Amino acid sequence: MAFTEQDFEAQQAQLRQLEDELSRLDAQLDAQMKAAGISGADLAAVDTATLPPEVAKAFTQAQENAKREGEARASRCATASTATASAKIPGAGRRGAVRL
């Protein structure tokens, strides 16, 4: 299946839709942060000592889950890439050999 100009245009249209959606969500997040009185710096630095115990526990659990999932995805990607890298392409002969 060849990649055609029509496929490229469809991908460009989808990219524009995603950019519009992202800008809409960014504006919505900015409005919510302004309403709550939160700045971007507040989001970057979370002090778990000032959080209530239940929130701190949920926060640490979420961090641990995210770390585990990230490591699992990284190992799956590493396993998949090594499996495909060592396998030969079907129908590919030796280098320099001519197929009759």
Side-chain angles (χ1 to χ4, degrees):
M1 182 171 140
F3 187 74
T4 64
E5 185 71 26
Q6 189 177 20
D7 295 332
F8 178 72
E9 290 172 4
Q11 284 183 349
Q12 291 296 323
Q14 186 180 16
L15 180 62
R16 282 190 294 276
Q17 288 175 347
L18 291 172
E19 287 173 344
D20 292 342
E21 179 72 10
L22 180 61
S23 65
R24 183 187 69 78
L25 291 173
D26 281 339
Q28 185 179 3
L29 177 64
D30 290 339
Q32 288 175 348
M33 287 175 53
K34 186 176 180 181
I38 300 172
S39 68
D42 294 339
L43 293 177
V46 175
D47 185 16
T48 56
T50 59
L51 296 174
E54 302 86 22
V55 175
K57 182 179 177 185
F59 184 73
T60 55
Q61 283 180 340
Q63 283 182 324
E64 290 170 359
N65 288 343
K67 185 176 179 181
R68 270 196 309 273
E69 288 176 14
E71 290 170 350
R73 285 183 183 170
S75 67
R76 279 196 308 264
C77 289
T79 306
S81 66
T82 57
T84 57
S86 63
K88 291 179 67 175
I89 298 171
R94 296 180 307 209
R95 281 178 62 189
V98 178
R99 194 178 255 183
L100 299 176

